[in-house]
Amino acid sequence: MANVVVVGAQWGDEGKGKIVDWLSERADVIARFQGGHNAGHTLVIDGEVFKLSLLPSGIVRGGKLSVIGNGVVLDPWHLVKEIDQLRGQGVTISPETLMIAENTPLILPIHGELDRAREAQNSVAKIGTTGRGIGPAYEDKVGRRSVRVADLADEATLELRVDRALVHHDALRRGLGLEPVDRDALLKELRDIAPEVLEYAAPVWKVLNEKRKAGKRILFEGAQGALLDIDFGTYPFVTSSNVIAGQAATGTGIGPGSIDFVLGIVKAYTTRVGEGPFPAELHDADGQRLGERGHEFGTVTGRKRRCGWFDAVLVRQTCATSGVKGIALTKLDVLDGFETLKICVGYELDGERLEYLPIAADQQARCTPIYEEMPGWSQSTEGARSWAELPAEAIKYVRRVEELIECPVALLSTSPEREDTILVTDPFSD
């Protein structure tokens, strides 16, 4: 049985939620391996909309085990809120359907406060953080001062962890003009929320390895997109974790040899939220049209997304760093009606052509796109469920994308609805 990793191959918002939900029908376990509640997934199932930002997308499908791995940073208060919201929509959530790794670091209220204070005072270059504390929580993780899920079960350990964190945070807060942390109030908040988190705590690494040995199919779900990876993204305008496929192993405790197929989710055009370089960005009527037709507003922040033509250079690059075997191409229907389409096939930097995005930030900012034009199509592709239902020009566009990114299309999505998907290669049959 194949185990599949799903990663966003652009700057996030590629439609991972729908694809993971669609694939979860074939999986036994769905495991989230990085990020926090700063990246949203919108699922549309039989006309009902589910909005998730922390829980794995498979949670809405009954009979599956959903897992939050140690690579995630967890806001326990948001967790409880999201669980209550989904239960209100009829979703069953229990320790039998949801597990949280015991070594998962927690996002505390002080992390969000620090995140927002630093962004507000950053007059040099704003990162575009959501202000939800994800970055500071990861900083505490590598600084060895995190409060982790297991710590909630032992009072002495909990106090020790909080005291260690406050030595660091109170010093930072003084420099930012913030009041010291109320230690007792923070401990009370943690004690109060502890029972609602601990009921889901489990040795996830052990459970996943046992499931693998038993021949169960595991679907690993990432958040954000590979261009926001802390190492391989457009630094410093990136998230605070590794987003590429290799993180699936370290973010859950399962060996890299257990991963059989990496599926990259790719939008048929390009979008990005927040600050940072975007060579193929459009500031004209075409860009506005893409945003309006694609409903390009962030699930979590509500921020308007920046839009541009498909950038084959970036996707080819992220397919390489994540070892992508096939892509799921989403939102093809948004391109319906364009007389001419453009694809970025290279960059020009200081008079020279580049086939990749350089690492240096100043060079990234100076890269200008080299476009290849293709004829568009007037027919609608929305809701198509087979190649025969697609216009010839749409098929040519998909095939050209495959050539340019050097990776085949495994799935093609033509609307937010779960069943409006054309299956080319089943990742689980690898």
Side-chain angles (χ1 to χ4, degrees):
M1 294 293 186
N3 297 321
V4 177
V5 177
V6 173
V7 294
Q10 292 161 309
W11 277 294
D13 309 309
E14 302 97 347
K16 289 185 295 297
K18 171 195 166 171
I19 299 299
V20 170
D21 172 65
W22 192 86
L23 286 170
S24 66
E25 185 177 19
R26 295 160 172 76
D28 301 295
V29 183
I30 299 89
R32 173 85 183 270
F33 61 83
Q34 55 78 220
H37 63 304
N38 55 336
H41 295 326
T42 300
L43 311 179
V44 182
I45 302 173
D46 297 328
E48 186 168 8
V49 177
F50 297 88
K51 293 193 175 184
L52 311 176
S53 55
L54 178 60
L55 293 169
S57 297
I59 197 74
V60 300
R61 190 183 284 277
K64 310 291 180 179
L65 173 62
S66 288
V67 166
I68 295 177
N70 56 277
V72 173
V73 284
L74 177 81
D75 183 322
W77 297 275
H78 181 87
L79 171 73
V80 172
K81 179 181 176 182
E82 196 166 310
I83 287 173
D84 289 344
Q85 174 188 319
L86 290 179
R87 282 176 173 161
Q89 293 183 269
V91 178
T92 300
I93 300 175
S94 70
E96 284 68 47
T97 61
L98 175 65
M99 289 185 182
I100 301 172
E102 298 168 314
N103 51 338
T104 300
L106 299 181
I107 300 175
L108 309 179
I110 57 176
H111 292 131
E113 292 169 10
L114 176 60
D115 204 356
R116 293 185 292 273
R118 290 198 300 205
E119 187 78 349
Q121 295 190 20
N122 191 350
S123 59
V124 179
K126 294 185 182 298
I127 300 300
T129 171
T130 60
R132 296 194 166 199
I134 281 78
Y138 275 116
E139 290 174 35
D140 278 359
K141 175 181 178 177
V142 297
R144 292 163 292 183
R145 51 181 174 267
S146 284
V147 177
R148 305 199 293 182
V149 168
D151 301 331
L152 297 174
D154 182 75
E155 180 68 25
T157 301
L158 180 61
E159 291 193 17
L160 182 65
R161 295 284 188 268
V162 167
D163 287 341
R164 181 177 175 84
L166 295 192
V167 169
H168 175 79
H169 279 269
D170 279 339
L172 282 178
R173 293 169 73 91
R174 280 195 298 273
L176 291 166
L178 300 177
E179 293 293 319
V181 178
D182 186 332
R183 175 184 183 272
D184 293 339
L186 176 57
L187 283 167
K188 183 179 185 306
E189 286 185 89
L190 288 167
R191 293 188 194 104
D192 289 345
I193 201 72
E196 298 189 72
V197 177
L198 288 172
E199 67 172 312
Y200 303 106
V204 159
W205 67 270
K206 183 173 182 293
V207 172
L208 289 182
N209 278 279
E210 288 172 351
K211 295 286 187 184
R212 181 185 62 80
K213 289 176 182 177
K216 302 299 182 182
R217 292 174 167 178
I218 305 172
L219 182 62
F220 297 90
E221 176 185 5
Q224 290 105 11
L227 292 171
L228 295 173
D229 185 271
I230 188 69
D231 288 307
F232 293 99
T234 48
Y235 190 91
F237 305 101
V238 293
T239 194
S240 299
S241 60
N242 284 112
V243 183
I244 61 175
Q247 177 64 18
T250 54
T252 59
I254 197 164
S258 301
I259 296 169
D260 302 296
F261 193 98
V262 178
L263 181 70
I265 314 299
V266 179
K267 199 176 287 187
Y269 50 103
T270 312
T271 64
R272 134 163 248 177
V273 171
E275 309 297 325
F278 186 170
E281 182 174 11
L282 295 172
H283 300 281
D284 58 10
D286 285 338
Q288 184 175 348
R289 185 178 178 185
L290 287 171
E292 290 173 354
R293 294 208 59 198
H295 306 290
E296 296 298 350
F297 295 91
T299 301
V300 171
T301 64
R303 289 183 292 180
K304 185 178 179 180
R305 297 179 185 133
R306 300 153 63 190
C307 297
W309 296 117
F310 185 81
D311 191 327
V313 182
L314 290 179
V315 175
R316 184 170 63 243
Q317 196 164 320
T318 55
C319 284
T321 56
S322 274
V324 173
K325 286 190 174 183
I327 67 165
L329 190 66
T330 67
K331 288 198 169 185
L332 182 68
D333 54 301
V334 174
L335 300 181
D336 293 352
F338 279 90
E339 185 175 338
T340 302
L341 300 172
K342 294 182 181 181
I343 300 176
C344 177
V345 296
Y347 304 127
E348 185 176 322
L349 175 63
D350 301 333
E352 294 186 11
R353 178 169 176 144
L354 290 182
E355 304 296 335
Y356 66 96
L357 186 68
I359 288 294
D362 66 313
Q363 292 181 343
Q364 290 179 349
R366 299 202 313 277
C367 283
T368 58
I370 299 171
Y371 287 121
E372 177 180 293
E373 292 190 358
M374 294 190 69
W377 53 90
S378 57
Q379 306 98 308
S380 173
T381 63
E382 184 175 0
R385 299 183 182 182
S386 70
W387 288 108
E389 297 176 60
L390 295 176
E393 293 82 1
I395 295 174
K396 289 177 183 176
Y397 181 83
V398 173
R399 295 307 185 199
R400 184 57 179 151
V401 165
E402 290 180 313
E403 291 174 358
L404 290 168
I405 67 173
E406 300 173 2
C407 189
V409 169
L411 293 151
L412 188 64
S413 171
T414 57
S415 95
E417 288 291 342
R418 176 191 284 170
E419 299 306 322
D420 291 342
T421 305
I422 299 172
L423 176 64
V424 182
T425 301
D426 187 347
F428 281 115
S429 66
D430 182 61

